[in-house]
């Protein structure tokens, strides 16, 4: 039966899901005989010719208009898909049901009037009765459809929430792995060892900046968001460490307007992006690595560096970028846009409002 109904509705607009077909079958199967009996009286069942012709015509009209109605309902549902938008959906759907009920009654009236044997001439009271039966059955179908849709959507949201929770736990584990980067710590301690003997005053400042970076790494990641101003402050300390190690081999340019400094983003975002740039590119005085942090005309944060890949490429598992993307996804915000074009690697990040 279901396969036959699907063949009847092969047009793209009427390619209906199974639940819509079963709702239509469940309603039309009893409303058509009831309506025909009210319209035609006992002769509907007593004359087989009237039974066949009236039933065939009624089912054709009802299924055609209900299929079109369901397609419109699906369009409304796609436009307002969230569970909390259910009242708005129903307010838009109910007028559709009224119009379709009137359309069904008019179409059936015209069709019955043209059929032989029927001698169709209903009274006004009969037309009103049929109209209210149509409204009632359509209201039932609306409630069934919305109940089914809400339960399905709730289940999808629950599964998605659980998936995001699992992803968040995995993300937190990866962040912990990258927070205290052994390679960076080893290089920093080597630089500090040289400074202690050669420039003790500078070594003291180096230790202060190193402590700021690791204090931020260990504390700030507990929160979901931090201000751009706080991220830039820790980047100053991080850049000082890089500059001490690489001298003129690395240059950082920051061009951020005061009004954007109060906007929000996930913590450790800038540190991870700057660290990735240094990790995957040559950093030499003869070939400096240039990193820039600014905003574009749409208010997105842009972190950009020139591409000069290392001869011996380090294996990249993209943990840093994956962590950042996951945080934005968990916040239900647009994910970062990563491009590799014209010799530059660019990451665009949306800045968030409170």
């Amino acid at each position: 039966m279901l396969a036959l109904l699907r063949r009847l509705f092969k047009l793209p607009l009427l390619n209906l899901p199974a639940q819509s077909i079963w709702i239509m079958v469940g309603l039309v199967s009893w409303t058509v005989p009831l309506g025909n009996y009210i319209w035609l009286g006992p002769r509907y069942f007593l004359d087989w010719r009237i039974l066949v012709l009236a039933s065939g015509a009624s089912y054709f009209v009802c299924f055609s208009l209900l299929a079109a109605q369901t397609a419109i309902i699906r369009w409304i549902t796609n436009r307002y898909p969230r569970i909390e938008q259910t009242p708005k959906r129903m307010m838009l759907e109910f007028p559709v049901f009224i119009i379709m009920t009137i359309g069904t009654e008019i179409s059936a009236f015209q069709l019955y009037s043209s059929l032989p044997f029927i001698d169709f001439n209903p009274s006004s009271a009969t037309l009103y009765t049929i109209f209210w039966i149509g409204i009632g059955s359509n209201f039932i179908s609306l409630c069934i459809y919305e109940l089914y849709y809400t339960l399905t959507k709730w289940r999808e949201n629950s599964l998605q929430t659980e998936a995001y929770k699992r992803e968040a736990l995995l993300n937190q584990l990866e962040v912990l792995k990258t927070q205290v980067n052994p390679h960076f710590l080893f290089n920093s301690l080597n630089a500090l060892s040289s400074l202690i003997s050669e420039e003790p005053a500078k070594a003291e400042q180096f230790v202060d900046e190193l402590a700021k970076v690791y204090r931020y790494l260990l504390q700030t990641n507990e929160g979901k968001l931090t201000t751009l101003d706080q991220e830039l402050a820790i980047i100053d300390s991080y850049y000082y460490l890089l500059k001490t190690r690489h001298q003129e081999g690395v240059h950082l340019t920051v061009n951020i307007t005061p009004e954007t400094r109060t906007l929000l983003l996930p913590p450790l975002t800038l540190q991870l992006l700057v660290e990735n740039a240094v990790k995957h590119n040559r950093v030499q005085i003869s070939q400096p690595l240039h990193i820039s942090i600014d905003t574009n005309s749409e208010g997105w944060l842009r972190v950009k560096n020139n591409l000069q890949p290392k001869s011996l490429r380090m294996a990249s598992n993209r943990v840093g970028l994956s962590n950042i993307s996951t945080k934005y996804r968990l916040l239900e915000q647009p994910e970062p846009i990563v491009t590799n074009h014209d010799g530059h690697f660019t990451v665009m990040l949306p800045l968030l409002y409170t």
Side-chain angles (χ1 to χ4, degrees):
M1 181 66 176
L2 181 59
L4 176 61
L5 289 171
R6 284 198 176 279
R7 291 194 191 100
L8 293 175
F9 299 112
K10 277 293 185 180
L11 292 175
L13 181 64
L14 308 180
N15 188 17
L16 306 176
Q19 71 270 18
S20 297
I21 293 177
W22 284 120
I23 290 172
M24 290 163 56
V25 170
L27 288 170
V28 175
S29 61
W30 64 270
T31 53
V32 164
L34 177 61
N36 278 321
Y37 181 77
I38 293 173
W39 273 23
L40 303 173
R43 61 197 180 102
Y44 172 65
F45 292 108
L46 296 176
D47 189 331
W48 69 268
R49 296 173 303 174
I50 293 178
L51 177 66
V52 171
L53 284 173
S55 296
S58 299
Y59 280 119
F60 175 78
V61 170
C62 289
F63 275 118
S64 298
L65 290 177
L66 283 174
Q69 170 184 290
T70 304
I72 295 172
I73 299 306
R74 289 176 64 192
W75 179 84
I76 294 173
T77 301
N78 290 335
R79 190 171 180 86
Y80 303 101
R82 299 197 301 273
I83 292 177
E84 60 269 22
Q85 293 175 320
T86 298
K88 179 180 288 188
R89 280 200 309 273
M90 295 187 71
M91 288 179 63
L92 292 172
E93 290 165 352
F94 195 67
V96 174
F97 284 158
I98 295 176
I99 293 171
M100 288 297 180
T101 299
I102 296 172
T104 302
E105 189 168 343
I106 292 173
S107 300
F109 183 90
Q110 296 294 329
L111 190 58
Y112 279 24
S113 298
S114 65
L115 291 175
F117 312 115
I118 291 183
D119 188 24
F120 185 63
N121 188 25
S123 65
S124 298
T126 300
L127 293 176
Y128 281 124
T129 302
I130 294 297
F131 172 76
W132 286 112
I133 289 175
I135 291 294
S137 62
N138 275 327
F139 182 74
I140 293 171
S141 72
L142 171 62
C143 293
I144 293 174
Y145 184 88
E146 283 297 334
L147 178 62
Y148 183 91
Y149 178 82
T150 300
L151 290 175
T152 303
K153 200 69 176 177
W154 176 81
R155 183 172 178 273
E156 289 176 357
N157 290 345
S158 298
L159 293 174
Q160 189 177 56
T161 299
E162 290 300 318
Y164 279 172
K165 285 180 180 178
R166 289 194 298 271
E167 193 171 9
L169 291 174
L170 293 174
N171 178 62
Q172 289 175 9
L173 177 61
E174 294 297 336
V175 168
L176 288 173
K177 290 178 181 178
T178 58
Q179 278 180 348
V180 184
N181 187 320
H183 183 70
F184 173 73
L185 181 59
F186 177 77
N187 288 334
S188 296
L189 292 177
N190 277 343
L192 177 60
S193 177
S194 300
L195 289 174
I196 289 173
S197 58
E198 298 173 5
E199 300 180 75
K202 197 171 183 179
E204 185 176 347
Q205 184 178 357
F206 187 91
V207 170
D208 289 341
E209 301 298 339
L210 183 61
K212 289 180 185 177
V213 170
Y214 276 95
R215 188 182 303 113
Y216 186 81
L217 293 176
L218 295 172
Q219 293 178 356
T220 310
N221 195 54
E222 294 300 320
K224 290 184 179 180
L225 294 170
T226 186
T227 63
L228 177 57
D229 196 51
Q230 288 178 309
E231 283 282 287
L232 292 172
I234 207 62
I235 283 298
D236 286 341
S237 297
Y238 189 72
Y239 180 53
Y240 178 86
L241 303 179
L242 293 175
K243 198 71 173 176
T244 301
R245 284 174 47 208
H246 300 291
Q247 301 297 322
E248 294 303 313
V250 60
H251 294 279
L252 175 66
T253 304
V254 177
N255 185 18
I256 301 294
T257 57
E259 58 270 19
T260 58
R261 287 178 172 265
T262 57
L263 299 182
L264 306 175
L265 71 167
L268 306 180
T269 298
L270 290 183
Q271 186 271 333
L272 285 172
L273 293 177
V274 173
E275 182 181 17
N276 272 359
V278 175
K279 177 181 177 182
H280 297 293
N281 292 278
R282 292 192 304 275
V283 182
Q284 300 172 352
I285 295 177
S286 58
Q287 286 183 300
L289 176 65
H290 294 276
I291 305 171
S292 64
I293 302 173
D294 59 9
T295 54
N296 67 359
S297 57
E298 297 176 354
W300 281 46
L301 186 67
R302 176 170 51 198
V303 181
K304 182 178 179 181
N305 65 270
N306 57 316
L307 278 173
Q308 39 191 44
K310 294 179 178 178
S311 300
L312 296 175
R313 282 195 164 188
M314 298 181 65
S316 174
N317 53 12
R318 298 178 66 87
V319 168
L321 289 174
S322 175
N323 282 341
I324 296 170
S325 296
T326 300
K327 288 179 179 180
Y328 274 96
R329 188 162 58 250
L330 292 172
L331 292 167
E332 298 182 347
Q333 298 294 331
E335 294 186 35
I337 300 172
V338 180
T339 57
N340 186 338
H341 186 65
D342 289 339
H344 287 86
F345 185 82
T346 306
V347 180
M348 303 292 299
L349 304 155
L351 291 173
L352 314 178
Y353 291 85
T354 53

